[in-house]
Amino acid sequence: MLSISLVFAGFVSCAFSMPSTVDVIKGLNAFTFLTVAQSINDKKILGGDPDGPYTILAPVDSAFNKLSSSELNAITSDTSLLAEVLGVHVIRGELFSWDFRNGRVLVSSNGHYIRIYQTQTGSVYLNDAKVLKWDLEADGAVIIAIDTVLDAPEGTIYEILRKPDHGLSMLADLVDKVNLNNTLYRDPGPFTVFAPSQGAFDRLSPVILKELENNPTLLRHTIEYHVHPGTLHFKSLDRNGTISTIYRGHSIGVKVTQADVFLNNVATLEEVDIDADNGVIHIIDHVLIPSTLGAIVG
């Protein structure tokens, strides 16, 4: 009887043993993710971290193929940046598909926000990354496969507006002028900023520019009209409707076609999903004009 009991106990133990996180990640064709985690011995991803369990958001290899060679080199050549990027892909505790409710905001292991969106077709996005597979259990972790490498935010919204990388200095100057700089710098928000590019400002007529220069109230309302009180990543802009703004009572119209997403029937998105510590920025190709300043200017 003793030998039979031992055999049965061994069988049960084998039947319920979990695969390692490394084996599960390999099975997802997420070898690049695994390689970069191994390069800094990130035990939250590789297993063996005493503070687990974790939920790991594992970008598959095709996700890394979306990055340019310069972007990938920048990440992998800087150990601290690599650790920051990997940290965005780890959440403390074990979460399953039913925990990812539309609109919920999660916090990564290194303090960055991950926002959940469900499209009309039923796809689920974590910030700008689409979920490919759910609920893959490993020893000390639940692993979720995603199709995009998540960004480690470059700072607050205001700090990103001030960086030369995105060419948004004109908007940053106007944010200073209407005293919204402190809000977009220190306020945790979150906010979504539809940021007109330099080209967008260049398209404004001299009449409108003069009106904005001479009327501080209208200028403030116009800048407020580009800020939504909440976070909207691109994948949540998948239906016709309106977007509220911090200019109370004035909303932005959204029209979705097969070709593009239009704001107020005129502005399109040049660059999307620039994540910030207190929200997200989308760069648009036209300045949005609230009704208090007259008709939309194209």
Side-chain angles (χ1 to χ4, degrees):
M1 288 294 294
L2 179 61
S3 60
I4 293 174
S5 298
L6 289 173
V7 169
F8 180 74
F11 172 76
V12 171
S13 175
C14 291
F16 286 92
S17 63
M18 291 286 186
S20 69
T21 56
V22 170
D23 286 340
V24 173
I25 291 170
K26 285 180 178 178
L28 293 172
N29 288 323
F31 293 99
T32 304
F33 180 63
L34 184 61
T35 298
V36 295
Q38 289 171 332
S39 71
I40 61 170
N41 193 29
D42 191 330
K43 291 185 177 180
K44 291 191 293 295
I45 294 171
L46 302 176
D49 190 294
D51 295 328
Y54 296 103
T55 299
I56 299 171
L57 311 176
V60 297
D61 284 345
S62 59
F64 283 91
N65 294 338
K66 295 179 183 179
L67 300 176
S68 68
S69 56
S70 59
E71 288 173 324
L72 186 57
N73 288 337
I75 294 171
T76 55
S77 62
D78 184 332
T79 302
S80 60
L81 178 58
L82 178 56
E84 189 73 7
V85 170
L86 289 176
V88 180
H89 293 79
V90 179
I91 303 168
R92 295 188 183 278
E94 292 181 316
L95 298 176
F96 294 88
S97 52
W98 51 85
D99 296 307
F100 288 78
R101 299 183 301 276
N102 187 39
R104 185 178 179 185
V105 179
L106 303 172
V107 181
S108 71
S109 64
N110 56 351
H112 296 299
Y113 294 119
I114 300 168
R115 296 173 174 89
I116 303 166
Y117 307 98
Q118 184 168 348
T119 67
Q120 289 181 314
T121 59
S123 297
V124 176
Y125 286 81
L126 310 179
N127 289 352
D128 58 337
K130 183 180 180 180
V131 175
L132 301 176
K133 288 185 179 180
W134 291 105
D135 303 339
L136 301 168
E137 294 186 77
D139 185 14
V142 175
I143 300 173
I144 298 168
I146 57 177
D147 75 342
T148 300
V149 178
L150 297 174
D151 286 334
E154 305 170 41
T156 63
I157 288 172
Y158 182 74
E159 289 173 317
I160 292 174
L161 295 181
R162 277 292 170 207
K163 288 178 180 288
D165 313 47
H166 303 292
L168 299 172
S169 60
M170 178 72 171
L171 177 60
D173 290 342
L174 295 178
V175 165
D176 287 345
K177 196 169 184 178
V178 301
N179 297 315
L180 276 177
N181 44 2
N182 196 53
T183 299
L184 297 179
Y185 176 53
R186 297 186 183 279
D187 195 313
F191 303 103
T192 299
V193 174
F194 296 96
S197 63
Q198 183 61 52
F201 284 107
D202 292 341
R203 292 187 184 95
L204 281 179
S205 73
V207 174
I208 294 295
L209 282 173
K210 186 175 180 180
E211 190 69 30
L212 292 175
E213 289 171 0
N214 294 335
N215 191 324
T217 300
L218 282 179
L219 177 59
R220 181 178 181 86
H221 288 167
T222 299
I223 300 305
E224 290 176 337
Y225 189 54
H226 290 78
V227 182
H228 165 72
T231 309
L232 297 171
H233 281 81
F234 176 68
K235 292 303 180 182
S236 66
L237 302 175
D238 65 337
R239 65 202 72 183
N240 297 335
T242 59
I243 299 169
S244 62
T245 71
I246 63 172
Y247 181 22
R248 290 189 177 182
H250 292 76
S251 299
I252 301 167
V254 179
K255 181 179 179 181
V256 179
T257 70
Q258 289 185 337
D260 221 328
V261 175
F262 292 89
L263 305 179
N264 287 347
N265 292 315
V266 64
T268 59
L269 300 155
E270 292 185 351
E271 186 176 351
V272 301
D273 294 337
I274 303 169
D275 283 301
D277 285 322
N278 57 348
V280 64
I281 299 170
H282 306 293
I283 300 177
I284 58 176
D285 64 356
H286 281 72
V287 177
L288 304 173
I289 305 297
S291 58
T292 46
L293 194 55
I296 300 297
V297 176

